[in-house]
Amino acid sequence: MKQTITAKLKLQTDPTQFVALRETQLAYRDALNYVSHYSFAHGKTSNRRALQHACYDEIRLLFGLPAQMACNVPRQVGATYKTLWTKARHNAQARKAGWTRKRFKGLDQPPKYVSPTLTYNYLRDYGFKQEQQVSILTLQGRIVVPYRGYERHVALIGQGATIGAAKLWHDKPHKQFYLLVSLELEVEDPTPETHSQVVGVDVDQRYLAVTATPTGQTSFYPGKQIRAKADHYARLRKRLQKKGTRSATRRLLAISGRERRLKQDRNHLISRRIVDAHSQSLIGLEDLTHIRERTKRKRGKKASEKQRRANRHASSWAFAELHGYIGYKALLSGSMAIKVDAYHTSQACPRCGHTSLGNRPNKGLLFVCQECGSRLHADLIGARNVALRTLLTRQDWVSTGILSVSPDVSCEEAKAQRRQRFRELRWSTDTSSRLSAWSD
């Protein structure tokens, strides 16, 4: 089984090399915007071959890009338009289903590329040399630049890891270039024998993550302090956007970067602690795809200030990023993360199976089952339900030899059958024979 990671290499450039790399970046960005406008004017096409056939000569002539870079530009623009068309299609489906009334506006004008990050192909645009040096292609030809990086990543580059494409990134505040190199590693294929334990992970705002195992182990990762900082940044953004000056815009960019790094740091920390605490495990995560569209919330003038703040909290935290960090770190540590159906994980009682919105009084942190009277922390209830569904997935893996890494959404019949099995799950081993397979 293969797993891809990114090595961040710090380039130690001299002034001449710095100028050469910067000029190449800006020319690449200008070429992206040129092809983006061409695509928009010709039916917003995402066909990469058609874009390359139509724009290749102009890219070489107008921007002076080398041949391989001139090929990468139409591919990147085509991928951007393909993503936008996919989002537009999903938006149309969501509007038809009544999940949202907002129309997707991403194709109303040509996508504008602001970041000067450019893509390099291994052995064509860049290559590694001895003594921690890398050869990089620029508009003026190749330059050889020494680099530094995380010791483990540097060792993987020199010891036969499969090296892929790289991105040249410029840290503008520090005037520093980084080369982000894709590395493909071989990891052991997971088996039911090597992944004998399961753990469920529930994500939320008040507690960014809560974990639970069928053996009773639980962990809480609070988010109150981080959310307070995020609220502070939100208030600053609101004031600066209202001001609207150029200096306010520059300040907004600095704040957005600071907030992004804050969330990345916390997500890295939480994912590392979860993976380290549950080695050789099957880690269950909720499938939150289209959760914003499927969640009914009051918006606009109908919503109170408290509801608008809750909407911002629910929409602003990078839960997909946290899931991604857990996923790749789990594979590198001998575990594996899978997605399970998030349907009513916070409303279903894991003891008796009763599912009701009334089990969450005032949508607070307390879960009170209206059927059996069980009282527990609401996020812990969600984590236990995710753990039970992960355990059910592992049992299917043992019996069929096929591991389902995400819930089947192919048809309504499959959903109904899967959710009927969820209703039969029980947390106590005394009330259900389904947990007896835990000992295999």
Side-chain angles (χ1 to χ4, degrees):
M1 190 173 180
K2 296 181 179 180
Q3 172 63 31
T4 302
I5 63 174
T6 300
K8 184 178 180 181
L9 306 179
K10 185 176 184 180
L11 302 181
Q12 299 175 302
T13 57
D14 59 36
T16 304
Q17 293 173 335
F18 184 92
V19 172
L21 291 175
R22 187 61 176 166
E23 289 178 351
T24 306
Q25 273 194 325
L26 296 177
Y28 189 89
R29 183 182 65 181
D30 293 340
L32 287 172
N33 286 314
Y34 174 83
V35 179
S36 176
H37 281 81
Y38 177 89
S39 174
F40 187 83
H42 292 77
K44 306 171 186 177
T45 178
S46 62
N47 190 314
R48 305 175 192 180
R49 289 187 178 182
L51 290 175
Q52 181 172 337
H53 179 75
C55 301
Y56 178 81
D57 293 336
E58 284 76 6
I59 294 173
R60 296 293 306 273
L61 180 64
L62 297 176
F63 306 103
L65 293 181
Q68 189 58 48
M69 288 188 194
C71 293
N72 287 339
V73 169
R75 293 172 189 166
Q76 186 170 341
V77 173
T80 299
Y81 272 90
K82 187 175 182 179
T83 301
L84 292 176
W85 279 116
T86 302
K87 290 182 177 180
R89 203 159 47 245
H90 289 165
N91 175 255
Q93 295 172 357
R95 292 173 66 191
K96 186 177 180 180
W99 293 343
T100 183
R101 289 182 292 179
K102 291 184 178 180
R103 185 182 65 85
F104 180 68
K105 301 180 180 179
L107 288 168
D108 288 356
Q109 55 187 359
K112 183 178 179 181
Y113 294 86
V114 178
S115 172
T117 301
L118 65 88
T119 302
Y120 281 131
N121 288 48
Y122 183 55
L123 297 180
R124 292 189 177 183
D125 301 325
Y126 83 103
F128 290 99
K129 293 184 173 294
Q130 296 180 351
E131 298 179 357
Q132 287 193 206
Q133 291 183 324
V134 59
S135 172
I136 305 177
L137 186 62
T138 67
L139 298 180
Q140 289 78 32
R142 284 187 174 266
I143 59 174
V144 178
V145 184
Y147 66 86
R148 292 187 302 167
Y150 177 42
E151 292 181 359
R152 185 186 174 195
H153 291 168
V154 173
L156 288 172
I157 292 173
Q159 293 175 2
T162 303
I163 302 174
K167 291 185 180 296
L168 182 66
W169 175 62
H170 179 228
D171 183 1
K172 190 174 180 180
H174 298 92
K175 297 182 180 180
Q176 176 65 52
F177 276 106
Y178 292 90
L179 193 65
L180 310 179
V181 183
S182 172
L183 301 178
E184 196 173 72
L185 309 179
E186 287 285 346
V187 296
E188 293 184 3
D189 291 334
T191 64
E193 291 74 24
T194 57
H195 294 66
S196 58
Q197 307 294 321
V198 300
V199 57
V201 181
D202 178 81
V203 295
D204 202 353
Q205 280 290 326
R206 289 165 291 199
Y207 287 89
L208 297 179
V210 177
T211 63
T213 67
T215 57
Q217 298 177 352
T218 60
S219 297
F220 288 80
Y221 300 90
K224 183 177 180 180
Q225 183 179 5
I226 297 299
R227 192 171 71 173
K229 289 185 178 180
D231 286 343
H232 170 66
Y233 290 136
R235 291 190 293 269
L236 282 179
R237 277 199 308 273
K238 186 175 180 180
R239 291 201 296 267
L240 291 170
Q241 287 170 350
K242 189 177 294 185
K243 198 172 185 67
T245 61
R246 292 181 63 185
S247 60
T249 302
R250 289 195 297 268
R251 187 61 180 163
L252 277 170
L253 289 174
I255 289 174
S256 65
R258 190 178 300 170
E259 184 177 9
R260 183 177 65 253
R261 290 189 297 272
L262 171 72
K263 294 179 179 179
Q264 286 178 344
D265 176 73
R266 185 49 57 100
N267 284 338
H268 269 300
L269 178 65
I270 293 175
S271 60
R272 172 51 58 195
R273 289 182 177 177
I274 290 175
V275 170
D276 288 346
H278 304 283
S279 60
Q280 303 295 318
S281 299
L282 203 60
I283 303 176
L285 308 172
E286 293 176 292
D287 183 16
L288 301 179
T289 306
H290 306 310
I291 188 65
R292 290 187 178 96
E293 291 80 5
R294 291 187 281 111
T295 304
K296 294 182 179 180
R297 293 177 297 196
K298 289 186 178 181
R299 297 178 175 87
K301 297 180 179 179
K302 295 182 180 180
S304 64
E305 179 64 28
K306 182 178 180 181
Q307 288 168 333
R308 286 196 291 270
R309 184 168 61 250
N311 291 343
R312 187 182 71 248
H313 288 159
S315 302
S316 62
W317 194 264
F319 292 121
E321 182 183 70
L322 176 59
H323 282 180
Y325 289 166
I326 293 174
Y328 90 81
K329 290 177 183 179
L331 280 178
L332 295 177
S333 301
S335 298
M336 187 174 184
I338 64 170
K339 295 291 184 69
V340 300
D341 195 344
Y343 182 72
H344 286 171
T345 52
S346 63
Q347 299 177 18
C349 178
R351 271 192 161 182
C352 68
H354 177 67
T355 302
S356 171
L357 188 62
N359 290 345
R360 293 285 301 276
N362 299 322
K363 298 182 180 180
L365 285 176
L366 182 64
F367 179 94
V368 182
C369 180
Q370 304 300 305
E371 186 73 17
C372 67
S374 177
R375 301 166 66 91
L376 203 62
H377 194 287
D379 292 341
L380 181 55
I381 288 290
R384 287 187 173 183
N385 282 322
V386 174
L388 287 174
R389 297 176 186 187
T390 307
L391 179 58
L392 184 62
T393 302
R394 183 184 178 276
Q395 292 173 356
D396 293 340
W397 187 18
V398 172
S399 59
T400 64
I402 300 175
L403 175 61
S404 176
V405 296
S406 61
D408 181 13
V409 294
S410 58
C411 62
E412 293 298 326
E413 184 179 352
K415 289 183 183 179
Q417 185 178 5
R418 181 177 65 247
R419 290 169 182 175
Q420 178 58 40
R421 298 182 69 190
F422 292 163
R423 295 187 188 97
E424 300 173 8
L425 293 172
R426 299 292 182 269
W427 184 255
S428 173
T429 56
D430 297 330
T431 58
S432 175
S433 60
R434 287 186 175 272
L435 291 179
S436 61
W438 174 251
S439 59
D440 61 14

